[in-house]
Amino acid sequence: MERMRMSKKITLVPLIVSVILFFVPFFWFQFGEMDLGGDSSRLYFYDPVSYLSKASLYIVSPSSFGAEYLGYSNAPFIFFLVLLKAIFVSPSILICIFYGISLSSAFLFTYLSIKELLAAKENWLASTIGGLLYVFSPPTQDGWKHVLITYNHVFLSPLIFYLLLKYFKTANIRYIFVVVLITFIFSPNFSVSAAPAIFSFFPLSILFLIIYTKVILKRKIIIKHIVLGIFLFVGIQAFHLFVIASSIFSSGSDIHSTIFTEKGKFDRGLSYFSAIAPNIKASFNLMLVPQMKTIYFFSKIFFIFPVIIIIAFILKRKKTMLLTAIFFLVVLFFTTGNITNIWLSIYKSLFSVPGFSMFRNFHSQWVYTYVFFYALLFGQALSILIDVLDRRYRYGLTFFLIIIITLSALPIIKGNIANEVLWQSENVKSVLTIDPDFEEALSYMRSLPVDAKVLSLPLTDPGYQIIAGKNGGAYMGPSTISYLAGKKDFAGYDEFLGFKEIILQLIKDKDYEKLKKLLGILNIKYIFYDADPLIYNKFPSFPYENVRTVLPKNQKLYTRFIEELHLKKIKSINNKFFVFELPDEYFSPHVTIINRSVSFNNGILDIGSPLSLYKENNWAVAFNSSELSKNSLLAFDEDLRNINDAVLYPILTASKHTSPYGFPFVSWSMASPVYPFIVIRERNELENLSPMEEIYIDRTIFLAEKRIAELEKWGNETKLIGNVGDIGQLDVVWKEPSLLKAIFFQKYNYWEVNFLRYYRIIGTMINRIEKDTVSNSKIIADKYVINNALLKDKENLLRIIQSSENLSEQQKLYLLKLSMDMFSFFEDRLQVDIPALDNLDYKQSFLEKGDYSVYIDKRFIQEYGREGFSISTGGIVYLLDELTYETSWGKIPYTKTSQQDQNDFTIRFNQPPNLISPTSWNSFEKQTLASDAATISIEDDLRAVGIIREIADWQPKTSYLISFKYRTNGKRFKIVVFDDSGKKIDRKSTILQQNLYSQEWISYKSILTSSDNATLGYIHFLKSFDSDIFNKLKLGEGIAKIEIKDLSVVKIPTPKIVTRKIGQQSQNEKLPILTFTKINPTKYIVNVKNIKESYTLVLNDHFNVNWKLVDPGNEDKDRILSFLTRVIGRIGKTGVSLLGLHKESQVENVLKFFNGSVNQNVTEDIYINANTFDTWGKTSIAEYKHFPVNGYANAWYIEPKDMDGKTEYTLIIEMTTQKLLYVYLALSVCVFFFTLALIFRSIFRRI
Amino acid sequence: MQLKIISRIIDQCKDNRRIKGSLLFLQKQKKTLLSLLVVGIFEDIVLRPTSSDLLTFSVLSIYIVFIFTLKIKSTFTFYICLFLLAISVAIFLFDDMAIAAEKAAVWLILFFVIGVIQQWRE
């Protein structure tokens, strides 16, 4: 009787807890309220049908440029939601159900897992508390805020762990089949976007279960079951696993570069890891306290959990608990990182493993696995404690534990965590009830006929859209227009990729004509404007922080700004939502034939040049900023070249360079026995770096700077040789020690050796650059970058030596001299000759024979004026009067037909104005001041302010050349150049800071670039403090005195000069007539008529080599793969016909652009029908003439021979990876039904 | 495997008369030695602001040697863990960002690792 009562309690209590947890979320929201926002949004709860059809079935992104996309892995889950929505109707209820399932299942299956591991009936209490600990543990509570689609792992991990545990205990394969089916429904959790959660949980969990089965249960593992399970899993996940695999292994894709390139592994991975690793505390993890958050005193009571665990180990020895503890410790090491330097170093080295960079945000990615194993271990430990405790204490302890867990979970229970105020908003809640006006606007957007992109205003920074709800809350997340209306929408500045700066600049300059042209080139036809004041005025900062510096400050001004754009209003909904249309003359259709193809040698940042040069809008430019070799198969109507000064330009570019690696963080002292191994690793890395690699200089400097970082961190423990005259001499005598010598005699633990190693790394780098670099201008630029880095290193090293606590003054002087001599040696080697600005040669090399026009930016001409400069070309000097002006250009009447391979184009500046001349010195020091010369003498510390002078006409983002001669008579002075915007809120930016030291007159020259918003610039000379030991280095006593002469600050002219080779003028009558039909976002049928000669076809979607142009009438008979594809296509066609998917595209309307030369058939999207297979195994044409244009789009240069000289034909533009998706999706569905059949079979067999 | 080799070496050493004598002496001084070790760790946590792997792993190596030579049970290791947890919690309650609390937690984790392996072998 007692037993029966106990047994009922065992099943009832957890069940009641589970039911309570399920209903908790129903109290979070009012009826009709939803929280839909977040990074990946939860719009699929609101309208799963639209989400499935617009965003989950295709391999092309539904937003912005339409790049390749991984959202198709969500398809089964969204389909599952479609079914649930059909039952529950209300999205609000659906959300609550899902939250409820997550909470209750997470608890229930953790409870069951602990119970199974304990294998004793009286453990329900410990298991229940373990389950509650998993669900409510403070470190994971933040996960409930704006949950991602992959957050289902919170209950899937315990669920699958439990099912696998049951399998290993019973050998009943049905558990494996159920696991496989679950993984299909929740496939987003087994896709690449959930990789960190998968790899942090499943490998360790499965290993745990295998060891548990073999060592503790002493049962056999049935290999054939495991193999079958793996096959079924791979088969059921094929639709995304195999498709993503093709991306992973194709070089050039984003995912490939993240996994395999040095940039992905170290820059994005390791450097991020290194930045957060010092902040993660082992003590917080042990006591289950959230990291990097304010700790309330109440949370500190969680120390009770590790206490119970340790006491349990003292009380009883249990193998299962020991095994759990081992896995708990492994996960603890991974989630903490910062447990001893050795582990941190091993952890860092794991980042060289391809793919490990997914753990860059390691704590968040391991914490769920950690909490799960913590709960398992704690449940077992508590069970031991409960066994030994007296009944009263037992219930007292469990009651206490339940209370503290529940109290810490109050934010979840009360729903505060889901009902948060949106970040940086003025009290706008993240929960909203949908406004019917918005639903009408969304429906209108869905119905818009032109296949074009949309610009959503107000524009945000990161690509979020904000929609106000009726209850005063708001949605903040990815664009609803993209994900629910199926129009590729630009909702944020960041989504414009390379165009984002230009767009803001054009708005800032109020150059709306050029802005509209640019929007047209980006295939934007519609502008959606949400005028609700809540969504803009109540968000003073995020997500508008950056764009608001240029775009209107409030909704009232926004309305005025839109009026100034002169767009055509086509819809207004309740004076809240507006839709505007960009006039056709600006618009470039989604698929188009261009009448002018242009080759341009400059980057996308200079798209302003073609935008202002071409009046019509059906042109396309192939940008070529990285000096890629030109594809000889392509022919362009025009050749556009931006010409720069050959010497000055690389230096200017290099002066703006910043290293991606930052200053190094070091973990090991030179005295450590591990250090010699690090030396070997770094030596190998340096040897494997090639000067041809983009990262060569930055990485080498980074490794050299580690020597300085080591001295900064470990300098006090570093020894001194003490008798080295010069690092160059030490280089001759000091040999790399053997490993044993290095370990036992700490051969690297000397200041001078660190100097020497720095000297060798930098010396070798300069040698290799001089030897291996072909281009002279690159050598100059590289040297300039190195020189700038060395100047910073020099300052750092001098500071470290001076601030060292363990060095005597004499030792400091000795080290200062050594380091100064070393840097002087490099300064001599890196002499970068900055040319004078009064005679610059803008040369254009390798011009082909032809006619040219030369354009100069009108703003430049106006700035320098008639007297400022002269232009000569081919020996003829042109006067400004002879220029003709077109829009924003001055045109030189210049044509050249010679066959010379080099043509000079010279701009000569008569006398660039010295910006120092109109200003005067300010000083409190004893001084002698002239207009461009000054002498200051400083006698005591109190008056060390120095002298300051304003630089006239200081402009933002502009380069200046500063030059002067100086003599400091052995004392150390400093030059600082700083600027500010003149506004009180902005800080001053130091743009140059350098020490000056000399006995003789020295010439100083440097290039500097002003800050983004600066309008005032200052130059400041000041003395280093007397405490500066450097002052004692040579002269010792005496007054500090600096003499300066010939001071000049000159703005570096950067004229935009473009040569335009005029080819055969394209004639509209020669252009073919194109009609395109959109089948779906991955397929377009293009009908071309009236073909007389070669033309360029453009698809205005993100460039991707997998977009192919297929001739449906031509079977590819040369390749076996094409034959197989045709066979699969035929099978597919039969299957689709049998399923009755016969829907054909019905033309509803025909839209005409460019006077009918480009037409669009308006149709509805069709995901699959018999025609889907028309292109399978057919020949793709112009594959090698597929190239990117306009900075993002796809273009094909098609010659008559590509289509056997036909004058009319039909082509299909298709994203070929979509075909893989069809094949593997079919395979996955088959495996799903097969697995289902296996389950039924196993059930009926038992019966 | 490595642990087996170590214990075999120790067993062989035990046969040596001089080593036997030394071991006997060590066993007599067991409490003193372990107290010194614990005090040393306490000193490192509370008085030293930096952490050194050399020191940490030297102490842990000595403790592992003690486990074999002085026949220390896993229970004792867990008592050390409890002691370290007490230090960590005591400091943590007053200042959750204190370096000493973090150092104590790291010592605790390392001793916990030893304790778990020890108990598994027992």
Side-chain angles (χ1 to χ4, degrees):
Chain A
M1 198 66 185
E2 177 71 18
R3 238 180 216 190
M4 270 178 71
R5 270 214 307 273
M6 185 60 84
S7 165
K8 270 185 188 169
K9 207 184 281 176
I10 289 166
T11 44
L12 256 182
V13 174
L15 214 65
I16 291 167
V17 174
S18 201
V19 171
I20 292 171
L21 287 175
F22 178 78
F23 283 106
V24 161
F26 286 84
F27 298 96
W28 292 357
F29 310 115
Q30 303 284 339
F31 187 73
E33 282 185 347
M34 291 170 265
D35 67 328
L36 298 174
D39 278 351
S40 68
S41 90
R42 294 146 61 77
L43 294 168
Y44 39 83
F45 283 122
Y46 169 59
D47 184 357
V49 176
S50 296
Y51 197 93
L52 182 71
S53 63
K54 309 293 179 194
S56 301
L57 293 176
Y58 302 104
I59 210 149
V60 170
S61 165
S63 71
S64 64
F65 290 108
E68 207 167 335
Y69 170 71
L70 305 173
Y72 51 86
S73 60
N74 304 340
F77 177 64
I78 309 289
F79 183 72
F80 178 58
L81 288 182
V82 171
L83 299 179
L84 288 181
K85 180 88 190 301
I87 301 165
F88 297 106
V89 185
S90 159
S92 185
I93 291 176
L94 197 58
I95 288 174
C96 292
I97 287 174
F98 248 86
Y99 271 129
I101 289 174
S102 299
L103 277 171
S104 62
S105 315
F107 161 77
L108 191 67
F109 291 103
T110 311
Y111 159 82
L112 289 171
S113 302
I114 298 171
K115 200 167 152 288
E116 282 296 325
L117 288 174
L118 285 170
K121 283 183 181 171
E122 290 78 16
N123 55 46
W124 63 274
L125 207 48
S127 311
T128 307
I129 294 172
L132 283 174
L133 183 67
Y134 174 71
V135 179
F136 290 144
S137 76
T140 55
Q141 283 186 10
D142 269 1
W144 295 97
K145 289 181 192 169
H146 315 300
V147 297
L148 301 174
I149 197 165
T150 52
Y151 193 67
N152 290 329
H153 71 76
V154 76
F155 74 89
L156 283 174
S157 300
L159 166 63
I160 292 175
F161 182 89
Y162 171 71
L163 290 173
L164 291 178
L165 177 61
K166 284 296 280 182
Y167 164 73
F168 281 112
K169 281 184 113 176
T170 61
N172 184 346
I173 198 169
R174 209 186 310 160
Y175 288 109
I176 289 186
F177 297 152
V178 174
V179 167
V180 170
L181 285 189
I182 290 170
T183 64
F184 184 64
I185 295 167
F186 296 97
S187 52
N189 283 80
F190 299 89
S191 69
V192 73
S193 47
I198 299 168
F199 286 101
S200 63
F201 185 80
F202 289 105
L204 278 174
S205 303
I206 291 169
L207 185 66
F208 171 85
L209 291 171
I210 289 171
I211 297 174
Y212 174 71
T213 314
K214 292 289 281 181
V215 178
I216 292 164
L217 298 180
K218 301 199 187 304
R219 291 178 71 107
K220 254 178 81 178
I221 290 169
I222 307 165
I223 301 295
K224 64 180 181 184
H225 283 182
I226 308 284
V227 172
L228 178 63
I230 291 170
F231 266 105
L232 289 175
F233 174 77
V234 171
I236 215 159
Q237 303 295 334
F239 73 102
H240 62 89
L241 283 186
F242 289 144
V243 180
I244 198 68
S246 71
S247 277
I248 288 174
F249 296 107
S250 64
S251 67
S253 70
D254 281 352
I255 191 160
H256 178 276
S257 82
T258 306
I259 294 175
F260 295 106
T261 64
E262 298 291 298
K263 201 175 175 184
K265 286 194 281 189
F266 298 115
D267 189 10
R268 281 180 232 160
L270 186 57
S271 58
Y272 190 95
F273 171 87
S274 302
I276 57 167
N279 304 316
I280 305 299
K281 306 232 172 280
S283 51
F284 284 33
N285 280 341
L286 273 179
M287 293 177 219
L288 277 184
V289 173
Q291 302 277 352
M292 293 188 278
K293 290 192 85 179
T294 316
I295 310 291
Y296 299 105
F297 193 78
F298 168 76
S299 318
K300 295 182 179 178
I301 208 147
F302 269 60
F303 73 81
I304 191 75
F305 295 104
V307 169
I308 289 173
I309 291 172
I310 296 172
I311 290 175
F313 278 98
I314 293 170
L315 291 175
K316 205 168 181 182
R317 178 182 171 273
K318 279 181 95 177
K319 277 238 162 176
T320 311
M321 189 165 78
L322 282 167
L323 183 66
T324 317
I326 291 169
F327 280 80
F328 161 80
L329 284 166
V330 170
V331 186
L332 174 63
F333 272 76
F334 275 106
T335 197
T336 306
N338 215 355
I339 302 174
T340 73
N341 285 326
I342 290 181
W343 168 243
L344 193 62
S345 209
I346 295 168
Y347 210 159
K348 282 181 180 174
S349 64
L350 289 174
F351 279 83
S352 53
V353 176
F356 197 80
S357 58
M358 68 178 153
F359 291 121
R360 62 196 200 128
N361 191 8
F362 65 100
H363 174 68
S364 316
Q365 285 149 347
W366 283 94
V367 74
Y368 288 92
T369 312
Y370 173 66
V371 171
F372 180 70
F373 276 100
Y374 200 118
L376 292 188
L377 183 62
F378 178 74
Q380 294 175 65
L382 186 63
S383 146
I384 290 175
L385 209 64
I386 285 173
D387 279 351
V388 297
L389 281 178
D390 180 81
R391 198 170 189 173
R392 262 184 312 164
Y393 292 118
R394 181 189 303 173
Y395 286 111
L397 175 69
T398 46
F399 181 71
F400 173 69
L401 290 173
I402 289 172
I403 289 292
I404 61 168
I405 293 174
T406 315
L407 284 178
S408 77
L410 278 181
I412 295 183
I413 295 167
K414 284 163 65 187
N416 298 354
I417 220 146
N419 250 309
E420 280 224 319
V421 169
L422 285 169
W423 196 49
Q424 294 193 349
S425 72
E426 288 176 357
N427 208 25
V428 180
K429 291 273 171 111
S430 59
V431 171
L432 81 161
T433 43
I434 294 288
D435 181 355
D437 289 339
F438 167 70
E439 289 188 316
E440 191 186 335
L442 206 59
S443 158
Y444 180 75
M445 292 306 292
R446 212 174 275 143
S447 69
L448 287 168
V450 182
D451 177 25
K453 298 183 176 69
V454 177
L455 168 68
S456 275
L457 298 176
L459 198 68
T460 60
D461 286 340
Y464 283 162
Q465 186 187 25
I466 303 183
I467 304 288
K470 266 175 70 187
N471 61 340
Y475 161 84
M476 181 159 77
S479 165
T480 51
I481 295 168
S482 293
Y483 288 84
L484 299 179
K487 297 275 176 205
K488 293 190 179 87
D489 181 27
F490 293 89
Y493 158 83
D494 283 341
E495 288 182 301
F496 282 103
L497 306 177
F499 298 93
K500 57 185 183 184
E501 293 296 334
I502 309 156
I503 284 183
L504 283 197
Q505 193 60 45
L506 292 175
I507 296 171
K508 199 174 178 180
D509 298 346
K510 297 199 170 202
D511 194 344
Y512 298 140
E513 195 57 23
K514 220 184 260 181
L515 176 69
K516 284 193 276 187
K517 277 188 168 189
L518 180 57
L519 296 182
I521 290 296
L522 298 181
N523 184 233
I524 292 171
K525 176 76 177 167
Y526 301 110
I527 288 92
F528 176 84
Y529 172 52
D530 182 350
D532 195 322
L534 183 140
I535 64 139
Y536 199 58
N537 302 353
K538 290 213 167 189
F539 290 81
S541 187
F542 183 83
Y544 300 110
E545 201 166 10
N546 185 30
V547 283
R548 214 185 232 124
T549 57
V550 174
L551 283 161
K553 304 278 181 247
N554 55 46
Q555 286 286 41
K556 211 172 172 183
L557 296 172
Y558 233 113
T559 315
R560 207 173 302 157
F561 162 69
I562 292 171
E563 278 167 14
E564 285 171 14
L565 286 174
H566 297 297
L567 302 164
K568 186 182 162 194
K569 192 196 288 180
I570 53 171
K571 183 79 178 172
S572 163
I573 299 163
N574 209 8
N575 228 12
K576 203 190 286 176
F577 298 101
F578 299 89
V579 184
F580 298 88
E581 194 179 64
L582 190 77
D584 276 356
E585 63 260 34
Y586 296 100
F587 177 64
S588 175
H590 201 152
V591 181
T592 185
I593 288 177
I594 48 159
N595 75 349
R596 196 194 300 270
S597 61
V598 184
S599 159
F600 190 25
N601 71 334
N602 220 0
I604 188 68
L605 276 174
D606 197 13
I607 195 170
S609 297
L611 277 172
S612 56
L613 276 171
Y614 305 118
K615 290 189 182 78
E616 76 282 1
N617 215 27
N618 51 346
W619 47 265
V621 177
F623 292 97
N624 184 18
S625 56
S626 51
E627 295 171 14
L628 294 168
S629 57
K630 210 167 147 184
N631 185 346
S632 59
L633 297 171
L634 305 178
F636 293 94
D637 298 317
E638 287 189 15
D639 189 28
L640 209 62
R641 279 164 186 254
N642 190 347
I643 55 178
N644 297 300
D645 177 72
V647 182
L648 187 62
Y649 183 71
I651 301 174
L652 269 178
T653 314
S655 72
K656 291 169 192 165
H657 176 85
T658 48
S659 166
Y661 300 105
F663 195 70
F665 170 81
V666 285
S667 318
W668 294 99
S669 142
M670 295 83 81
S672 160
V674 179
Y675 191 79
F677 295 99
I678 293 171
V679 173
I680 294 170
R681 193 189 69 193
E682 283 181 13
R683 200 185 301 146
N684 289 341
E685 188 184 341
L686 277 168
E687 278 168 12
N688 291 331
L689 282 171
S690 155
M692 299 297 159
E693 287 180 74
E694 209 180 300
I695 57 160
Y696 176 69
I697 292 177
D698 291 329
R699 194 72 198 155
T700 311
I701 290 172
F702 177 82
L703 292 172
E705 281 174 347
K706 282 185 96 173
R707 309 292 78 83
I708 296 173
E710 283 159 359
L711 290 173
E712 184 169 28
K713 193 167 179 183
W714 312 106
N716 288 339
E717 297 165 21
T718 309
K719 292 182 272 185
L720 213 63
I721 299 173
N723 58 356
V724 176
D726 182 53
I727 293 297
Q729 288 171 4
L730 186 64
D731 185 31
V732 179
V733 293
W734 196 85
K735 301 271 181 292
E736 284 286 342
S738 67
L739 196 61
L740 287 178
K741 269 188 182 173
I743 294 171
F744 290 109
F745 301 107
Q746 299 181 351
K747 287 284 183 184
Y748 291 107
N749 193 27
Y750 292 93
W751 281 83
E752 294 91 333
V753 171
N754 258 39
F755 287 7
L756 173 65
R757 291 174 57 217
Y758 179 90
Y759 173 91
R760 282 182 176 171
I761 295 172
I762 298 291
T764 312
M765 172 170 63
I766 298 170
N767 287 341
R768 290 184 75 182
I769 284 169
E770 284 176 343
K771 194 178 149 204
D772 297 346
T773 313
V774 184
S775 149
N776 264 341
S777 60
K778 189 164 184 325
I779 292 178
I780 294 169
D782 288 350
K783 282 188 171 181
Y784 198 80
V785 170
I786 298 169
N787 198 36
N788 285 346
L790 259 56
L791 285 173
K792 281 183 201 155
D793 290 350
K794 181 174 154 186
E795 294 306 316
N796 269 333
L797 191 56
L798 298 186
R799 178 183 52 77
I800 291 163
I801 295 169
Q802 291 210 56
S803 58
S804 173
E805 289 165 5
N806 281 12
L807 294 172
S808 69
E809 197 166 288
Q810 211 53 39
Q811 287 170 328
K812 284 181 183 177
L813 285 172
Y814 159 75
L815 289 175
L816 279 172
K817 187 185 169 306
L818 275 184
S819 53
M820 287 295 295
D821 289 348
M822 177 176 78
F823 283 109
S824 301
F825 168 77
F826 285 128
E827 275 163 30
D828 291 342
R829 281 207 63 185
L830 291 166
Q831 283 292 333
V832 181
D833 187 22
I834 300 173
L837 300 178
D838 54 358
N839 194 7
L840 296 178
D841 282 344
Y842 284 76
K843 285 186 179 179
Q844 181 61 77
S845 306
F846 307 113
L847 275 182
E848 291 167 1
K849 185 182 175 184
D851 296 332
Y852 292 90
S853 298
V854 181
Y855 294 84
I856 303 178
D857 190 356
K858 203 153 81 180
R859 277 184 296 192
F860 172 78
I861 298 170
Q862 283 162 351
E863 188 182 340
Y864 284 84
R866 190 183 298 268
E867 309 297 324
F869 68 100
S870 61
I871 304 164
S872 60
T873 167
I876 305 164
V877 179
Y878 288 95
L879 299 172
L880 289 183
D881 293 342
E882 292 176 67
L883 302 185
T884 51
Y885 292 95
E886 290 180 6
T887 56
S888 54
W889 300 93
K891 185 178 171 188
I892 302 171
Y894 165 60
T895 55
K896 190 86 179 170
T897 50
S898 83
Q899 290 190 21
Q900 289 172 355
D901 65 350
Q902 185 162 332
N903 293 281
D904 292 357
F905 181 85
T906 307
I907 285 194
R908 179 158 298 179
F909 292 89
N910 296 336
Q911 184 64 54
N914 183 355
L915 302 175
I916 284 296
S917 305
T919 63
S920 55
W921 294 104
N922 285 310
S923 172
F924 300 102
E925 316 292 350
K926 190 177 172 186
Q927 25 76 2
T928 317
L929 305 171
S931 59
D932 68 340
T935 303
I936 52 168
S937 306
I938 300 167
E939 289 179 34
D940 60 58
D941 274 350
L942 295 172
R943 301 181 67 191
V945 180
I947 49 173
I948 296 180
R949 194 161 178 172
E950 191 182 337
I951 306 166
D953 195 23
W954 190 256
Q955 291 166 1
K957 290 186 193 172
T958 308
S959 297
Y960 294 88
L961 173 65
I962 178 166
S963 62
F964 56 90
K965 288 179 180 150
Y966 72 94
R967 182 165 66 174
T968 67
N969 304 295
K971 296 286 180 180
R972 194 156 77 133
F973 277 78
K974 197 186 269 186
I975 176 176
V976 179
V977 177
F978 60 93
D979 63 10
D980 72 28
S981 64
K983 292 176 192 165
K984 278 185 184 172
I985 48 160
D986 291 338
R987 283 187 186 169
K988 289 181 171 54
S989 312
T990 300
I991 49 176
L992 173 76
Q993 182 166 309
Q994 208 173 317
N995 283 309
L996 304 173
Y997 167 87
S998 76
Q999 296 281 17
E1000 305 300 325
W1001 282 100
I1002 286 185
S1003 286
Y1004 177 89
K1005 260 187 187 183
S1006 183
I1007 286 176
L1008 36 111
T1009 304
S1010 57
S1011 316
D1012 286 0
N1013 297 311
T1015 52
L1016 297 167
Y1018 301 91
I1019 183 165
H1020 186 188
F1021 290 95
L1022 68 161
K1023 197 196 87 169
S1024 296
F1025 293 109
D1026 269 359
S1027 56
D1028 187 343
I1029 195 164
F1030 187 89
N1031 286 332
K1032 294 177 182 168
L1033 193 57
K1034 283 196 175 169
L1035 278 184
E1037 301 303 316
I1039 298 167
K1041 183 178 167 189
I1042 182 171
E1043 295 163 90
I1044 303 152
K1045 65 179 182 183
D1046 300 337
L1047 176 65
S1048 138
V1049 179
V1050 178
K1051 184 181 164 190
I1052 298 175
T1054 45
K1056 192 191 279 182
I1057 305 162
V1058 172
T1059 61
R1060 178 173 167 191
K1061 186 189 176 197
I1062 314 295
Q1064 197 179 17
Q1065 283 293 326
S1066 9
Q1067 292 157 7
N1068 276 330
E1069 62 267 25
K1070 283 188 181 174
L1071 281 179
I1073 295 167
L1074 173 143
T1075 305
F1076 74 93
T1077 311
K1078 180 187 175 191
I1079 302 300
N1080 61 44
T1082 60
K1083 190 175 181 182
Y1084 295 84
I1085 296 178
V1086 182
N1087 186 268
V1088 197
K1089 286 181 193 166
N1090 198 22
I1091 302 156
K1092 290 175 181 162
E1093 54 184 43
S1094 307
Y1095 63 94
T1096 304
L1097 179 73
V1098 171
L1099 170 73
N1100 281 314
D1101 264 338
H1102 198 279
F1103 180 80
N1104 189 318
V1105 285
N1106 292 321
W1107 277 111
K1108 304 265 186 212
L1109 200 56
V1110 182
D1111 175 5
N1114 195 356
E1115 286 189 355
D1116 181 4
K1117 290 176 180 160
D1118 299 336
R1119 292 184 299 168
I1120 293 176
L1121 188 67
S1122 301
F1123 170 74
L1124 287 174
T1125 316
R1126 269 198 301 281
V1127 172
I1128 294 169
R1130 274 178 210 138
I1131 296 168
K1133 200 167 186 167
T1134 317
V1136 163
S1137 304
L1138 288 172
L1139 288 169
L1141 300 168
H1142 296 301
K1143 192 182 170 189
E1144 294 283 336
S1145 53
Q1146 299 292 326
V1147 179
E1148 295 164 4
N1149 193 4
V1150 181
L1151 303 170
K1152 293 182 186 304
F1153 304 98
F1154 308 133
N1155 297 324
S1157 45
V1158 175
N1159 307 291
Q1160 180 204 328
N1161 288 331
V1162 181
T1163 55
E1164 262 186 54
D1165 285 3
I1166 292 171
Y1167 183 63
I1168 196 164
N1169 66 7
N1171 297 338
T1172 301
F1173 305 94
D1174 286 352
T1175 54
W1176 295 46
K1178 304 290 167 67
T1179 315
S1180 69
I1181 66 156
E1183 218 165 305
Y1184 300 105
K1185 293 178 284 180
H1186 178 196
F1187 59 103
V1189 289
N1190 293 348
Y1192 77 99
N1194 296 270
W1196 289 268
Y1197 178 64
I1198 303 165
E1199 294 170 277
K1201 66 176 182 192
D1202 293 324
M1203 290 299 290
D1204 303 326
K1206 287 182 210 163
T1207 57
E1208 183 179 341
Y1209 46 76
T1210 297
L1211 297 170
I1212 292 175
I1213 302 175
E1214 190 175 38
M1215 175 58 107
T1216 44
T1217 29
Q1218 181 72 22
K1219 290 198 270 195
L1220 290 179
L1221 183 58
Y1222 287 130
V1223 173
Y1224 293 123
L1225 191 59
L1227 175 66
S1228 295
V1229 171
C1230 291
V1231 176
F1232 174 79
F1233 285 111
F1234 178 66
T1235 313
L1236 210 59
L1238 287 174
I1239 291 176
F1240 284 121
R1241 183 171 161 262
S1242 69
I1243 292 169
F1244 290 122
R1245 264 194 173 183
R1246 287 234 161 152
I1247 291 168
Chain B
M1 186 65 188
Q2 279 171 335
L3 288 172
K4 274 185 183 171
I5 294 167
I6 293 169
S7 54
R8 199 178 299 158
I9 292 168
I10 289 170
D11 287 343
Q12 282 171 2
C13 288
K14 279 177 187 168
D15 295 340
N16 185 307
R17 199 176 287 171
R18 275 187 194 169
I19 294 172
K20 222 173 182 177
S22 311
L23 282 175
L24 217 63
F25 171 76
L26 283 176
Q27 271 162 6
K28 275 182 188 166
Q29 303 299 324
K30 183 176 174 179
K31 282 185 183 167
T32 319
L33 289 170
L34 290 173
S35 307
L36 272 175
L37 192 105
V38 173
V39 169
I41 294 168
F42 182 77
E43 183 266 334
D44 176 62
I45 292 168
V46 181
L47 301 178
R48 280 171 58 96
T50 55
S51 49
S52 155
D53 278 9
L54 198 67
L55 178 84
T56 311
F57 287 103
S58 306
V59 171
L60 290 177
S61 309
I62 292 168
Y63 185 71
I64 291 166
V65 172
F66 282 178
I67 289 172
F68 288 105
T69 53
L70 307 182
K71 297 196 167 41
I72 297 169
K73 293 279 174 202
S74 63
T75 323
F76 182 78
T77 312
F78 288 120
Y79 275 120
I80 295 180
C81 290
L82 213 52
F83 167 70
L84 291 166
L85 183 63
I87 299 173
S88 184
V89 169
I91 303 165
F92 184 77
L93 287 176
F94 295 104
D95 177 7
D96 47 58
M97 297 308 282
I99 296 169
E102 184 60 14
K103 283 183 78 180
V106 171
W107 275 111
L108 159 61
I109 292 167
L110 297 172
F111 271 96
F112 194 60
V113 171
I114 294 175
V116 168
I117 297 168
Q118 225 182 324
Q119 201 168 75
W120 185 274
R121 291 189 70 245
E122 286 167 5

